[in-house]
Amino acid sequence: MTQLSSLLPIGFKTSADPLVTGLAIDHRKITSGNIFGAFVGERVNGEDYIPAAIAAGANVIVARPEARVDGAVHVASDNPRQLFAQMAARYFPQFPGTCAAVTGTNGKTSIVEMTRQLWRMAGFHAASIGTLGITTGDDRVVTGLTTPDVVTFLANMAGLAAEGVTHAAFEASSHGLHQYRTEGLPVQIGAFSNLSHDHLDYHQTMDAYFDAKMRLFREVVVDGGAAVIWADDPRSGQVADIARARGLQMMTVGAQGDDLRLMDRQVTALGQMLQLRHLGKDYTVSLPLIGGYQVANALVSAGIVMASGQDIGRTLADLERLQPVRGRLERAGISRAGAPIYVDYAHTPDALGAALDALRPHAEGRLILVFGAGGDRDQAKRPEMGHVAAAKADVQIITDDNPRGEDPAAIRAAIAAGAPDALIIGDRRQAISQAIAMAGGQDIVCIAGKGHEQGQIIGAGADVRVIPFDDVSVARECAA
C-alpha cells in the first residue's frame, strides 16, 4: 500500500490522500483501495463504470474533469490516460535498468527477440515482451497482446526486474503509444523499423498512424536517450529529424545508414553473407536467416545492443548465432516431394511482399502462397494483399485467417479483387493441404498471416470462438 500523494506529479493537489492498494482499468478487477482509470475509448466509455468501480472498493478515480465521481477521490486530468500511466509507474518499485522500445509496422517482434538473444549472448539476464508474449532465457509466457494495458505491462516489467532481468526490449505498437500503455517506464533506447499500410481502421490516415508511433521519440524515450533508425525506409528521414530535434543520440543502420552500413548482401543456401561497415572498418557476418527483411531486423537489433554500450565486434559476431523467431519465416518442414514449407506472420501488404521476396531466391520452381486477411481490421489493405500476392507468388490460395465478426466469404472476395487468378479455399487446413500436395521438389510453400498464433478467431462478442489452429503443426501433419 502507498499514499495517493506519492503517485501524483509534484504540485498535483487532491481533496484527500487515501492509502491505495493497486490500480486497474477494468472495473471487474477492482478490489478495495484500488485506483480506477476511467477513460473514454473508441467503443467503450470507462466513465460509465465509475459507480460500479466505487461499489467494488475503488477509492480513487482518474478521469476527465467533467466525469461524475461520487464516493471517491476524483483525480481529474484532461489526459487521464497519461496521468494514470504515470501514477501506475510510480506504484511499482523497480524496472529493468536498460529498456528498449521498438516501433514500426513490421519487424517489431523479430527485433525485440533478436535483441534479447544478443543481450543474453553478451552475458545479461534479458527479456523481450510483445506479440510472442514474455520471453526470457528460461521461459516464454503467451499474453495474446502486442501491448497489454499499462498496469499489466508495468507489473510484468516490475516482475522481470524482481527476477533479476537487467535488460528488456518491448514492442511499442501504435495503439499502445496512442493510448499511453507504455508510459512511466524509463526507456533509454527507441528503435524504428519501417512504416507501411496497417491499422488505418483505427488511425484513419497514414500521417496519424505515423504520428502515433513518433510519440516514442518525442515523449517516451528519456532525455539524453538513443534512437536507432532503419535508414532505408521512406519515412526514416522524418524519424531522424524528430530524434534530432529531441536531442537523442542517433544511430542509423542499413544501406543508407551512417553508423552501421550494409555494403553488400549475398544469398547462401541457409542464410546470407553480409558486408558491413562501421566507423570505416569492414566486417563480414554470416547471418543464419533468409530474407532481406531479416537483415533489417538483425541490424536494428545490433544497433540497439550497441546503443546500450556493447562492443561492435562482439555484437556483430553474435549475429551469426541468432536463432529463428517463432512464426517469422519459420521452416515448418519439408513435403514428401521435397518442397520446403515456411510459416510467416506477414499480414500487411509490405510484410507479405518482404516474405515472398525473401523466399524467391531459394525457389528453383514455383512459389506457392497460402494467405488471407483478418476480419474487423483494416479493410483497405485486402485488395492490396491480393495485388502483392499476384505479383510475387506463382500460385496464390486465398483462405480464411481470423474472420472474427465479418463474413469470411466477403473478406476472401475483397482479397481476390487484387488476385483474380487465385484459388479460393475457405477452410484453412484444406488450403494448406492443397498447397503442399501441389508442390513439387523445386517449389516452396509459404503459409502467411498467422505465424505463431495458436487459434483461429471466429465470431465476435458473445459469439466469439477460438478454434485451436497452429499453421506449423497443420503444415507438418499435411506434409507427413
Side-chain angles (χ1 to χ4, degrees):
M1 293 190 294
T2 187
Q3 298 292 146
L4 170 61
S5 57
S6 69
L7 306 181
L8 292 168
I10 295 175
F12 202 103
K13 303 295 183 182
T14 59
S15 60
D17 187 22
L19 281 171
V20 296
T21 59
L23 306 94
I25 62 171
D26 185 337
H27 71 285
R28 296 166 297 185
K29 297 181 180 179
I30 289 291
T31 59
S32 180
N34 278 188
I35 300 172
F36 177 59
F39 315 133
V40 178
E42 186 180 16
R43 299 177 181 175
V44 177
N45 184 355
E47 294 173 0
D48 294 340
Y49 300 96
I50 290 174
I54 294 173
N59 59 2
V60 178
I61 306 296
V62 181
R64 298 180 303 164
E66 56 266 39
R68 182 172 178 177
V69 178
D70 296 314
V73 177
H74 183 188
V75 177
S77 171
D78 291 330
N79 192 342
R81 287 184 185 274
Q82 186 174 36
L83 177 60
F84 181 85
Q86 293 168 347
M87 295 169 66
R90 291 185 174 94
Y91 181 80
F92 293 100
Q94 61 180 338
F95 300 114
T98 299
C99 291
V102 181
T103 198
T105 304
N106 303 312
K108 298 186 296 296
T109 300
S110 293
I111 291 169
V112 299
E113 171 54 16
M114 289 178 184
T115 300
R116 183 198 69 79
Q117 291 186 37
L118 292 173
W119 272 333
R120 190 184 187 204
M121 288 181 224
F124 299 107
H125 192 177
S128 61
I129 298 181
T131 305
L132 293 180
I134 303 171
T135 305
T136 64
D138 305 312
D139 196 15
R140 180 164 71 89
V141 178
V142 177
T143 61
L145 293 170
T146 299
T147 312
D149 70 84
V150 65
V151 178
T152 302
F153 172 74
L154 293 172
N156 288 338
M157 279 292 191
L160 290 172
E163 293 174 5
V165 169
T166 60
H167 290 62
F170 66 92
E171 298 180 47
S173 69
S174 59
H175 289 73
L177 288 163
H178 188 250
Q179 297 172 8
Y180 300 92
R181 291 191 238 152
T182 55
E183 302 299 303
L185 171 85
V187 176
Q188 291 82 17
I189 305 163
F192 171 77
S193 61
N194 52 61
L195 191 88
S196 64
H197 189 128
D198 202 13
H199 299 307
L200 296 196
D201 54 320
Y202 180 85
H203 296 288
Q204 303 300 313
T205 68
M206 288 296 294
D207 284 341
Y209 177 43
F210 177 72
D211 193 59
K213 289 187 175 296
M214 289 305 99
R215 280 204 63 249
L216 176 61
F217 302 101
R218 290 192 178 107
E219 302 175 39
V220 176
V221 175
V222 299
D223 291 341
V228 178
I229 301 168
W230 175 249
D232 300 347
D233 187 83
R235 291 273 191 167
S236 297
Q238 290 175 262
V239 182
D241 288 343
I242 291 167
R244 193 177 293 111
R246 176 77 194 288
L248 302 179
Q249 304 172 49
M250 195 158 56
M251 175 178 289
T252 59
V253 304
Q256 303 300 316
D258 292 329
D259 301 282
L260 184 58
R261 176 160 293 190
L262 176 63
M263 305 301 295
D264 189 42
R265 177 175 75 94
Q266 297 294 327
V267 173
T268 63
L270 298 176
Q272 43 207 322
M273 193 67 67
L274 311 181
Q275 298 297 326
L276 306 171
R277 182 169 295 168
H278 174 69
L279 297 179
K281 184 176 179 179
D282 291 338
Y283 298 83
T284 299
V285 172
S286 177
L287 187 69
L289 306 169
I290 67 172
Y293 78 89
Q294 293 284 42
V295 175
N297 296 337
L299 294 188
V300 172
S301 302
I304 292 171
V305 172
M306 291 161 59
S308 72
Q310 300 311 300
D311 176 72
I312 172 67
R314 166 69 183 271
T315 301
L316 296 185
D318 286 342
L319 288 179
E320 299 193 349
R321 297 194 287 148
L322 284 176
Q323 297 297 309
V325 178
R326 180 78 165 91
R328 274 64 182 172
L329 276 187
E330 178 180 2
R331 195 165 81 171
I334 299 176
S335 74
R336 291 181 182 178
I341 306 162
Y342 287 88
V343 168
D344 194 80
Y345 189 54
H347 58 277
T348 68
D350 186 63
L352 184 61
L356 295 172
D357 286 342
L359 293 172
R360 175 58 70 185
H362 300 272
E364 296 181 23
R366 299 173 300 171
L367 188 48
I368 301 171
L369 171 67
V370 178
F371 75 116
D376 297 334
R377 297 292 187 270
D378 187 355
Q379 296 184 11
K381 73 180 181 183
R382 294 171 187 171
E384 293 303 314
M385 296 281 285
H387 285 304
V388 170
K392 295 181 179 288
D394 300 298
V395 178
Q396 312 96 40
I397 301 177
I398 299 171
T399 191
D400 291 344
D401 190 295
N402 293 316
R404 298 186 176 88
E406 288 193 65
D407 176 9
I411 298 173
R412 297 193 299 267
I415 300 169
D421 296 327
L423 298 174
I424 299 179
I425 304 174
D427 183 274
R428 192 172 182 89
R429 178 181 289 270
Q430 184 180 344
I432 291 171
S433 177
Q434 177 74 10
I436 293 172
M438 71 168 60
Q442 304 301 308
D443 300 334
I444 287 180
V445 176
C446 176
I447 305 166
K450 293 178 60 58
H452 63 282
E453 293 178 356
Q454 298 295 295
Q456 194 170 20
I457 305 171
I458 299 174
D463 297 324
V464 69
R465 293 177 295 143
V466 180
I467 299 173
F469 199 99
D470 174 18
D471 279 355
V472 171
S473 297
V474 171
R476 288 172 180 167
E477 291 167 7
C478 294

